[in-house]
Amino acid sequence: MVPEINYWAVLLATASSMVVGSVWYAPKVFGTRWSKLANVDMDRPGSSATMAIVTTVIVSFITAWVLSGASAIAWHFYGGAFFWSAVVTSVTLWAGFTAARFITHDAFEGRSTRLTTLNIAHELVTVLVMAVIIGVWPPAGI
């Protein structure tokens, strides 16, 4: 079975990850704290971030696409409202894959717990916003 996917919702969810990241890592939000914890120079030229931004767009699209498909599969399996299937699926995938892997890698790399917490919280907000977009704009026929 190939899950139904609303690609317009996936594209909007992809864009939402850029908005969430821009707000999250703004100096007045968590940017200054993150840059100190991650040892990142926030004053480096903007052109040095180009590849990181391109990479982020690509992986954000993949994340939104997988979340959309997984939400459709969960909805078919469990039933109920598609919106809640998307939200629960996003939190489940975040906890089981994103948060768990961040914690493991950061522990081995000796990163601070504060940095790990900040990063996994950002990822949770990102996938929840994606889930809301995907959940309120389900594929046709759902």
Side-chain angles (χ1 to χ4, degrees):
M1 171 178 122
V2 176
E4 304 93 336
I5 293 176
N6 179 342
Y7 284 97
W8 292 110
V10 168
L11 290 172
L12 188 58
T14 300
S16 77
S17 77
M18 304 306 291
V19 172
V20 169
S22 295
V23 171
W24 190 272
Y25 293 110
K28 291 186 178 183
V29 183
F30 295 115
T32 302
R33 180 182 174 129
W34 169 79
S35 68
K36 288 178 185 171
L37 291 170
N39 198 24
V40 172
D41 179 8
M42 294 291 274
D43 295 324
R44 70 178 187 227
S47 61
S48 66
T50 302
M51 269 317 288
I53 292 169
V54 169
T55 301
T56 300
V57 170
I58 293 167
V59 299
S60 292
F61 176 83
I62 294 167
T63 300
W65 179 69
V66 168
L67 177 58
S68 182
S71 297
I73 292 168
W75 178 78
H76 280 291
F77 187 80
Y78 294 110
F82 186 79
F83 175 83
W84 290 113
S85 290
V87 170
V88 170
T89 299
S90 73
V91 172
T92 303
L93 293 176
W94 168 84
F97 292 99
T98 305
R101 301 317 310 160
F102 260 87
I103 292 166
T104 299
H105 287 281
D106 287 5
F108 275 100
E109 293 171 3
R111 293 183 187 233
S112 77
T113 304
R114 292 179 299 182
L115 177 60
T116 302
T117 302
L118 186 64
N119 284 334
I120 63 175
H122 166 256
E123 293 299 319
L124 176 60
V125 171
T126 299
V127 296
L128 278 173
V129 170
M130 285 182 166
V132 167
I133 292 167
I134 290 165
V136 299
W137 201 4
I142 289 187

